[in-house]
Amino acid sequence: MIASYELKKRDIYLNKLIAFQDTEPVKVVTGIRRCGKSSLLKLMVAHLQETGVSAAQIIEMNFESFDFSKMSAETLYHYVKEHIIPGKRMYLFFDELQRISGWEQAINSFRVDFDCDIYITGSNAYLLSSEYATYLSGRCVEIKMLPLSFSEFISFHGFIIKEATSALGGTRKYAVSTDGERYELSELFDAYMRYGGMPGIADVGLNQDKVLPLLDGIYSTVIVRDILEREKRRGQRQITDAVLLKKIIMFLADNIGSTVSVSSIGNTLVNEGLLDDNRKTKPSTHTVQAYVDALLEAYFFYDIKRFDIKGREFLRTMGKYYIVDIGLRNYLLGFRNRDSGHSIENVVYFELLSRGYDVAVGKVGNSEVDFIATKADKKLYIQVTESMASEDVRNRELAPLMKIQDNYEKIVLSLNPGMDSSYDGIMSLNLINWLIG
């Protein structure tokens, strides 16, 4: 596949930015490094210019660039002030702004002093911490950006989905590449489950020797810049042990979708001999919590709470963690078939987030529902499994859903749904068709 460096559309996120264009809130795009935030700002700039905004009204600054790396909040303010056109509305784009100490005051001053529309990105949730909220008093809207969904992955890699009539009169979907080659969607899904959805992979192609260095670069940058360096800037020297951080990352990556407590992480690291021999004691729960929080703030892992469906309350007991990109998990643990059930669960979790759902794990009696997905007045109960062909699996997956008494939609997603499309009102859907639906 030929590498392509054209700016590819991420309409699901661009449309959100456009919806808030010329409104008071500062638009804050957050997400793990290299998930496409910078490209999204460029897409928004292109949209503005296509709709009549002149280039002179747009100020773009990327603080990863050496040109702006030495700036302070004060010099940032004066730089922008010098480029303001009197009597014109200005559009200000600041990429990786958290690298500027005291940037909050500068942004607030722009809002007060100039007629402007502000867009910023950040690779760490510290950007939206309480310190920041104090300055903007809630006058910001967060656009949470993720790596590519499966549908976006197909598009980014140059495939088009087409439909054909099957021998039995139904329809089936397949993919066609730019050079006319025809592929089964299951082949593309296997590639997605192997390499993940980082947009940069579309530039190097689906080749493990090229993908690995890209994933290694993303991992190293997140760990160094967004966790270790960030702690130095904040003056909070909690995250100082790079080896312990790596061990915790490996533990969480190996246990996606499993119920985990912070105390159990430290116990496991000791019991399985995963810590250095010269470490006399296990890390405290407080220390492990600080490291896990840093990984959540860097958008490397996402945590999901448990919800008691009958009691209608969130539980304080153990939750679960999912990794932001399945390709990064494979990079960390090795490219081999491992725990594929939890891997497809991971994909479903982030697909639901990208579709705008709030997601929780459901507890119903002694049983568990993989996901409760809610938004506005819509709610879905979802089970995820590799196959529904076995009667034992069907009984296991359907039982928790059957215990739920309300009338919201109940779905089982699997790669092999079997012959039946529903069981007593519970839909059995093909996972790949659902992902591209």
Side-chain angles (χ1 to χ4, degrees):
M1 192 176 297
I2 299 172
S4 172
Y5 297 95
E6 67 187 58
L7 205 56
K8 298 182 175 70
K9 289 290 181 76
R10 302 286 301 273
D11 285 341
I12 188 173
Y13 302 105
L14 179 59
N15 290 338
K16 290 179 183 178
L17 280 187
I18 292 171
F20 285 102
Q21 180 186 332
D22 291 319
T23 60
E24 183 190 11
V26 175
K27 276 62 75 176
V28 184
V29 182
T30 58
I32 192 172
R33 281 184 181 271
R34 310 283 287 280
C35 73
K37 300 185 300 298
S38 302
S39 295
L40 179 61
L41 292 194
K42 289 184 172 67
L43 287 167
M44 187 63 193
V45 168
H47 165 76
L48 290 172
Q49 292 179 326
E50 288 165 6
T51 54
V53 176
S54 71
Q57 290 173 260
I58 299 170
I59 299 174
E60 296 179 80
M61 302 176 73
N62 185 336
F63 295 99
E64 299 276 85
S65 166
F66 192 77
D67 287 342
F68 305 119
S69 62
K70 304 298 183 185
M71 272 191 166
S72 64
E74 185 176 355
T75 54
L76 167 60
Y77 178 83
H78 288 297
Y79 177 91
V80 170
K81 186 176 181 179
E82 288 170 6
H83 289 80
I84 293 290
I85 302 173
K88 290 281 190 180
R89 184 161 183 78
M90 301 297 294
Y91 294 86
L92 313 181
F93 292 84
F94 304 115
D95 205 358
E96 298 297 345
L97 186 57
Q98 78 269 2
R99 296 187 69 80
I100 301 295
S101 178
W103 60 268
E104 305 96 327
Q105 297 99 315
I107 292 295
N108 203 40
S109 296
F110 298 150
R111 287 184 51 257
V112 172
D113 296 347
F114 309 128
D115 176 15
C116 61
D117 196 18
I118 304 173
Y119 301 79
I120 67 180
T121 76
S123 298
N124 201 289
Y126 180 59
L127 191 76
L128 288 175
S129 67
S130 58
E131 293 94 323
Y132 179 52
T134 300
Y135 281 96
L136 286 189
S137 303
R139 297 188 185 94
C140 63
V141 59
E142 183 182 9
I143 310 295
K144 299 176 182 179
M145 199 166 195
L146 296 167
L148 303 177
S149 67
F150 181 50
S151 287
E152 290 179 313
F153 174 88
I154 290 171
S155 174
F156 262 56
H157 287 273
F159 295 97
I160 296 172
I161 296 176
K162 295 195 173 183
E163 219 169 62
T165 303
S166 68
L168 296 175
T171 59
R172 55 182 293 274
K173 294 184 174 69
Y174 61 94
V176 178
S177 67
T178 50
D179 55 9
E181 289 289 321
R182 183 167 167 164
Y183 295 87
E184 295 297 320
L185 291 179
S186 58
E187 294 178 81
L188 299 188
F189 184 70
D190 288 344
Y192 182 65
M193 293 301 294
R194 185 174 183 82
Y195 298 121
M198 284 298 179
I201 291 174
D203 295 330
V204 301
L206 299 172
N207 178 304
Q208 186 166 312
D209 291 338
K210 294 178 179 178
V211 170
L212 271 174
L214 184 141
L215 293 174
D216 177 69
I218 294 169
Y219 170 77
S220 301
T221 307
V222 169
I223 300 312
V224 173
R225 290 193 182 176
D226 293 328
I227 297 180
L228 298 175
E229 281 187 8
R230 175 198 66 118
E231 292 296 323
K232 290 179 187 175
R233 288 198 300 275
R234 287 171 68 176
Q236 297 181 9
R237 303 288 291 146
Q238 289 179 300
I239 315 299
T240 56
D241 189 337
V243 174
L244 177 59
L245 181 62
K246 175 72 177 287
K247 299 294 186 185
I248 292 173
I249 290 169
M250 297 295 283
F251 176 90
L252 291 177
D254 204 22
N255 289 278
I256 56 169
S258 298
T259 304
V260 170
S261 73
V262 170
S263 61
S264 71
I265 297 175
N267 291 334
T268 303
L269 293 179
V270 171
N271 295 340
E272 297 187 6
L274 298 175
L275 295 176
D276 297 336
D277 292 336
N278 60 2
R279 191 187 297 272
K280 303 300 182 187
T281 60
K282 77 170 185 177
S284 69
T285 300
H286 175 78
T287 298
V288 174
Q289 185 68 64
Y291 280 63
V292 171
D293 287 346
L295 289 164
L296 296 176
E297 284 192 357
Y299 305 106
F300 201 90
F301 290 96
Y302 285 60
D303 60 342
I304 178 170
K305 302 293 187 254
R306 298 170 76 226
F307 184 79
D308 187 332
I309 296 170
K310 290 186 175 179
R312 297 187 179 182
E313 63 178 357
F314 283 98
L315 302 171
R316 294 182 180 179
T317 50
M318 300 182 292
K320 297 182 177 183
Y321 296 88
Y322 291 102
I323 193 166
V324 69
D325 179 69
I326 209 69
L328 282 169
R329 184 188 194 228
N330 293 332
Y331 155 76
L332 289 165
L333 302 179
F335 286 84
R336 59 188 184 276
N337 288 329
R338 55 182 302 125
D339 195 16
S340 52
H342 278 155
S343 292
I344 62 173
E345 210 178 281
N346 201 101
V347 167
V348 170
Y349 172 69
F350 284 101
E351 179 68 25
L352 289 167
L353 290 189
S354 74
R355 294 185 186 188
Y357 286 96
D358 292 320
V359 187
V361 175
K363 178 183 178 294
V364 51
N366 294 321
S367 303
E368 197 169 87
V369 176
D370 289 332
F371 301 118
I372 308 172
T374 57
K375 64 176 175 181
D377 59 348
K378 188 172 185 180
K379 182 183 289 187
L380 304 174
Y381 296 106
I382 297 175
Q383 291 285 72
V384 183
T385 186
E386 287 187 80
S387 173
M388 284 286 279
S390 155
E391 184 177 355
D392 288 344
V393 172
R394 284 199 300 273
N395 292 337
R396 184 189 72 211
E397 298 299 331
L398 294 170
L401 295 176
M402 288 177 170
K403 291 180 182 178
I404 301 170
Q405 298 303 308
D406 64 38
N407 295 317
Y408 290 109
E409 196 171 352
K410 301 172 182 70
I411 301 170
V412 180
L413 296 173
S414 64
L415 293 171
N416 178 10
M419 296 300 291
D420 295 313
S421 60
S422 70
Y423 302 86
D424 293 330
I426 299 170
M427 300 298 295
S428 176
L429 303 180
N430 179 280
L431 171 62
I432 294 175
N433 289 340
W434 179 81
L435 288 170
I436 64 173

